[in-house]
Coordinates of all heavy atoms in Angstrom, one line a residue:
T259 N -32.2 11.1 72.9 CA -32.2 12.4 73.5 C -30.8 12.7 74.2 O -30.3 13.8 74.2 CB -33.3 12.6 74.6 OG1 -34.6 12.4 73.9 CG2 -33.4 13.8 75.3
D260 N -30.3 11.6 74.9 CA -29.0 11.7 75.5 C -27.9 12.1 74.5 O -27.0 12.7 74.9 CB -28.6 10.3 76.2 CG -29.5 10.1 77.4 OD1 -30.2 11.1 77.9 OD2 -29.5 8.9 77.9
R261 N -28.1 11.8 73.2 CA -27.1 12.1 72.2 C -27.4 13.5 71.7 O -26.7 14.0 70.7 CB -27.2 11.1 71.1 CG -26.7 9.7 71.5 CD -26.7 8.8 70.2 NE -26.5 7.5 70.7 CZ -27.4 6.5 70.5 NH1 -28.5 6.7 69.9 NH2 -27.2 5.4 71.0
G262 N -28.4 14.2 72.3 CA -28.6 15.6 71.8 C -29.5 15.7 70.6 O -29.5 16.7 69.9
R263 N -30.2 14.7 70.2 CA -30.9 14.6 68.9 C -32.2 15.4 69.0 O -32.7 15.6 70.1 CB -31.3 13.1 68.6 CG -30.1 12.2 68.3 CD -30.2 11.6 66.9 NE -29.1 10.8 66.7 CZ -29.0 9.5 66.6 NH1 -30.1 8.8 66.8 NH2 -27.9 8.9 66.4
R264 N -32.6 15.9 67.8 CA -33.8 16.6 67.7 C -34.7 15.9 66.7 O -35.9 16.2 66.6 CB -33.6 18.0 67.2 CG -32.8 18.9 68.2 CD -32.7 20.3 67.9 NE -31.9 21.0 68.9 CZ -32.5 21.9 69.8 NH1 -33.8 22.1 69.8 NH2 -31.7 22.4 70.6
F265 N -34.2 14.9 66.0 CA -35.0 14.1 65.1 C -34.9 12.6 65.6 O -33.8 12.2 65.9 CB -34.3 14.2 63.7 CG -35.0 13.3 62.6 CD1 -36.2 13.5 62.3 CD2 -34.2 12.2 62.1 CE1 -36.8 12.7 61.3 CE2 -34.8 11.5 61.2 CZ -36.0 11.6 60.7
F266 N -36.1 12.0 65.7 CA -36.2 10.8 66.5 C -36.7 9.7 65.6 O -37.7 10.0 64.8 CB -37.0 10.9 67.7 CG -36.6 11.8 68.7 CD1 -36.8 13.2 68.7 CD2 -35.6 11.4 69.7 CE1 -36.4 14.1 69.5 CE2 -35.1 12.4 70.7 CZ -35.4 13.7 70.5
V267 N -36.2 8.5 65.7 CA -36.7 7.3 65.0 C -37.1 6.3 66.1 O -36.2 5.9 66.9 CB -35.7 6.7 64.0 CG1 -36.2 5.5 63.3 CG2 -35.1 7.7 63.1
E268 N -38.3 5.8 66.0 CA -38.8 4.9 67.0 C -39.4 3.7 66.3 O -39.9 3.8 65.2 CB -39.9 5.3 67.9 CG -39.6 6.5 68.8 CD -40.8 7.1 69.4 OE1 -41.2 6.6 70.5 OE2 -41.4 8.0 68.8
F269 N -39.2 2.5 66.9 CA -39.8 1.3 66.3 C -40.8 0.7 67.2 O -40.6 0.7 68.5 CB -38.7 0.3 66.0 CG -37.6 0.9 65.1 CD1 -36.5 1.3 65.6 CD2 -37.9 1.2 63.8 CE1 -35.4 1.9 64.8 CE2 -37.0 1.7 63.0 CZ -35.7 2.1 63.5
E270 N -41.7 0.0 66.8 CA -42.8 -0.6 67.5 C -42.3 -2.0 67.9 O -43.0 -3.1 67.6 CB -44.1 -0.6 66.8 CG -45.3 0.0 67.5 CD -46.5 -0.1 66.7 OE1 -46.6 -0.8 65.7 OE2 -47.5 0.6 67.1
T271 N -41.3 -2.1 68.7 CA -40.8 -3.3 69.2 C -40.0 -3.1 70.5 O -39.5 -2.0 70.7 CB -39.9 -4.0 68.2 OG1 -39.4 -5.2 68.7 CG2 -38.7 -3.1 67.8
D272 N -39.9 -4.0 71.3 CA -39.2 -3.9 72.6 C -37.7 -4.0 72.4 O -37.0 -3.8 73.2 CB -39.6 -4.9 73.7 CG -41.0 -4.6 74.2 OD1 -41.4 -3.4 74.1 OD2 -41.7 -5.5 74.6
E273 N -37.3 -4.6 71.2 CA -35.9 -4.8 70.9 C -35.3 -3.4 70.4 O -35.9 -2.7 69.6 CB -35.9 -5.8 69.7 CG -34.9 -6.9 69.9 CD -35.0 -7.9 68.8 OE1 -35.9 -8.5 68.5 OE2 -34.0 -8.0 68.1
A274 N -34.1 -3.2 70.8 CA -33.4 -2.1 70.4 C -32.8 -2.3 69.1 O -32.2 -3.4 68.8 CB -32.2 -1.6 71.4
C275 N -32.9 -1.3 68.2 CA -32.2 -1.4 66.8 C -30.8 -1.3 67.0 O -30.3 -0.5 67.6 CB -32.8 -0.3 66.0 SG -32.2 -0.3 64.3
P276 N -30.1 -2.3 66.4 CA -28.7 -2.4 66.5 C -28.0 -1.2 65.6 O -26.8 -1.1 65.7 CB -28.3 -3.8 66.0 CG -29.4 -4.2 65.0 CD -30.6 -3.4 65.6
L277 N -28.7 -0.7 64.7 CA -28.2 0.4 63.8 C -28.5 1.7 64.3 O -29.3 2.0 65.1 CB -28.8 0.2 62.4 CG -28.8 -1.2 61.9 CD1 -29.6 -1.3 60.6 CD2 -27.3 -1.6 61.6
D278 N -27.6 2.6 63.8 CA -27.8 4.1 64.2 C -27.2 4.9 63.1 O -26.6 4.4 62.2 CB -26.9 4.3 65.6 CG -27.4 5.6 66.3 OD1 -28.3 6.3 65.7 OD2 -26.9 5.9 67.4
F279 N -27.5 6.2 63.2 CA -26.9 7.2 62.3 C -25.4 7.4 62.5 O -25.1 7.4 63.7 CB -27.7 8.5 62.4 CG -29.1 8.5 62.0 CD1 -30.1 8.5 62.9 CD2 -29.4 8.4 60.5 CE1 -31.4 8.4 62.5 CE2 -30.7 8.4 60.2 CZ -31.8 8.4 61.2
L280 N -24.7 7.5 61.5 CA -23.3 7.7 61.7 C -22.9 9.2 62.0 O -21.7 9.5 62.4 CB -22.5 7.2 60.5 CG -22.5 5.6 60.3 CD1 -21.8 5.2 59.0 CD2 -22.1 4.9 61.5
D281 N -23.8 10.1 61.7 CA -23.7 11.5 61.9 C -25.0 12.0 62.3 O -26.1 11.3 62.2 CB -23.0 12.1 60.7 CG -22.3 13.4 61.0 OD1 -22.4 14.0 62.1 OD2 -21.7 13.9 60.1
D282 N -25.1 13.3 62.5 CA -26.3 14.0 62.8 C -27.4 13.8 61.9 O -27.3 14.2 60.7 CB -26.0 15.5 63.1 CG -27.2 16.3 63.6 OD1 -28.4 15.7 63.8 OD2 -27.1 17.5 63.8
P283 N -28.6 13.2 62.2 CA -29.7 12.9 61.3 C -30.6 14.1 61.0 O -31.5 13.9 60.3 CB -30.4 11.8 61.9 CG -30.3 12.1 63.5 CD -28.9 12.6 63.6
T284 N -30.4 15.3 61.7 CA -31.2 16.4 61.6 C -31.4 16.7 60.1 O -32.4 17.4 59.7 CB -30.7 17.6 62.4 OG1 -30.4 17.1 63.7 CG2 -31.7 18.7 62.4
I285 N -30.5 16.5 59.2 CA -30.6 16.9 57.8 C -31.8 16.2 57.1 O -32.4 16.7 56.3 CB -29.3 16.6 57.0 CG1 -29.4 17.0 55.5 CG2 -29.0 15.1 57.0 CD1 -29.4 18.5 55.4
V286 N -32.1 15.0 57.7 CA -33.4 14.3 57.2 C -34.6 15.1 57.5 O -35.5 15.3 56.7 CB -33.4 12.9 57.7 CG1 -34.8 12.2 57.3 CG2 -32.2 12.1 57.3
L287 N -34.6 15.6 58.7 CA -35.7 16.5 59.1 C -35.8 17.8 58.4 O -36.9 18.2 57.9 CB -35.6 16.8 60.6 CG -36.7 17.8 61.2 CD1 -38.2 17.2 61.1 CD2 -36.4 18.1 62.7
F288 N -34.6 18.4 58.1 CA -34.7 19.6 57.3 C -35.3 19.3 55.9 O -36.1 20.0 55.5 CB -33.2 20.1 57.1 CG -32.6 20.7 58.4 CD1 -31.2 20.8 58.5 CD2 -33.4 21.1 59.5 CE1 -30.6 21.3 59.6 CE2 -32.8 21.7 60.6 CZ -31.5 21.8 60.7
F289 N -34.8 18.2 55.2 CA -35.3 17.9 54.0 C -36.7 17.6 54.0 O -37.5 18.2 53.1 CB -34.6 16.7 53.4 CG -35.1 16.3 52.1 CD1 -34.7 17.0 50.9 CD2 -35.8 15.1 51.9 CE1 -35.2 16.6 49.7 CE2 -36.3 14.7 50.6 CZ -36.0 15.5 49.6
A290 N -37.2 16.8 54.9 CA -38.7 16.5 55.0 C -39.5 17.7 55.2 O -40.6 17.9 54.7 CB -38.9 15.5 56.1
S291 N -39.0 18.6 56.1 CA -39.7 19.9 56.4 C -39.9 20.8 55.2 O -40.9 21.2 54.8 CB -39.0 20.6 57.5 OG -39.1 19.9 58.7
W292 N -38.8 20.9 54.5 CA -38.8 21.7 53.2 C -39.7 21.0 52.1 O -40.4 21.6 51.3 CB -37.3 22.0 52.7 CG -36.7 23.2 53.5 CD1 -35.7 23.0 54.3 CD2 -37.2 24.5 53.5 NE1 -35.4 24.3 54.8 CE2 -36.4 25.1 54.4 CE3 -38.3 25.2 52.9 CZ2 -36.5 26.5 54.7 CZ3 -38.4 26.5 53.2 CH2 -37.6 27.2 54.1
A293 N -39.5 19.6 52.0 CA -40.3 18.9 51.1 C -41.9 19.1 51.4 O -42.7 19.2 50.5 CB -40.0 17.4 51.0
F294 N -42.2 19.1 52.7 CA -43.5 19.3 53.1 C -44.0 20.7 52.7 O -45.2 20.9 52.3 CB -43.6 19.1 54.6 CG -45.1 19.2 55.1 CD1 -46.0 18.1 55.0 CD2 -45.5 20.3 55.7 CE1 -47.3 18.2 55.5 CE2 -46.8 20.5 56.1 CZ -47.7 19.4 56.0
S295 N -43.1 21.7 52.9 CA -43.5 23.0 52.6 C -43.8 23.4 51.2 O -44.2 24.5 50.8 CB -42.5 24.0 53.2 OG -41.3 23.9 52.5
V296 N -43.4 22.5 50.2 CA -43.6 22.8 48.8 C -45.1 23.0 48.5 O -45.3 24.0 47.8 CB -43.2 21.5 48.0 CG1 -43.6 21.6 46.6 CG2 -41.6 21.4 48.0
Q297 N -46.0 22.4 49.2 CA -47.4 22.6 48.9 C -47.8 24.0 49.4 O -49.0 24.4 49.0 CB -48.2 21.6 49.8 CG -48.1 21.6 51.3 CD -48.8 20.5 52.0 OE1 -49.9 20.1 51.6 NE2 -48.1 20.0 53.0
F298 N -47.1 24.7 50.1 CA -47.3 26.2 50.6 C -46.5 27.1 49.7 O -46.5 28.2 50.1 CB -47.1 26.2 52.1 CG -47.9 25.3 52.9 CD1 -47.1 24.2 53.6 CD2 -49.2 25.4 53.0 CE1 -47.8 23.4 54.3 CE2 -49.9 24.4 53.8 CZ -49.2 23.4 54.4
G299 N -45.8 26.7 48.7 CA -45.0 27.5 47.8 C -43.6 27.7 48.2 O -43.0 28.7 47.7
A300 N -43.1 27.0 49.1 CA -41.6 27.2 49.5 C -40.7 27.0 48.3 O -40.9 26.2 47.4 CB -41.3 26.1 50.6
M301 N -39.7 27.9 48.3 CA -38.7 27.9 47.2 C -37.3 27.7 47.7 O -36.4 28.0 47.0 CB -38.8 29.2 46.4 CG -40.0 29.2 45.5 SD -40.0 28.0 44.2 CE -41.0 26.6 44.7
H302 N -37.2 27.2 49.0 CA -35.8 26.9 49.4 C -35.2 25.8 48.5 O -36.0 25.1 47.9 CB -36.0 26.3 50.9 CG -34.6 26.0 51.6 ND1 -34.0 24.8 51.4 CD2 -33.9 26.8 52.4 CE1 -32.9 24.9 52.1 NE2 -32.8 26.0 52.8
E303 N -33.9 25.8 48.5 CA -33.3 24.7 47.5 C -33.7 23.3 47.8 O -33.8 22.5 46.9 CB -31.8 24.9 47.4 CG -31.0 24.7 48.7 CD -30.8 26.1 49.4 OE1 -31.3 27.2 49.1 OE2 -30.0 26.1 50.4

């Protein structure tokens, strides 16, 4: 949240993941959202 993210990745561990996205991961959310909307007839690219 401090990095201004709108797409979040959490792990069920007390250890912090040493890896991070190198750029804004919101594109993953966009893709997943459009992929989900296929069942409703979405035709976005």
Side-chain angles (χ1 to χ4, degrees):
T259 301
D260 289 347
R261 292 185 194 117
R263 296 235 174 112
R264 295 189 182 252
F265 176 68
F266 299 90
V267 181
E268 296 173 89
F269 305 104
E270 236 178 11
T271 179
D272 290 333
E273 233 179 294
C275 180
L277 306 171
D278 199 354
F279 293 104
L280 298 179
D281 203 350
D282 184 1
T284 307
I285 185 66
V286 176
L287 176 61
F288 292 160
F289 177 74
S291 297
W292 282 113
F294 182 81
S295 70
V296 166
Q297 64 187 318
F298 305 110
M301 286 292 102
H302 184 276
E303 59 265 13

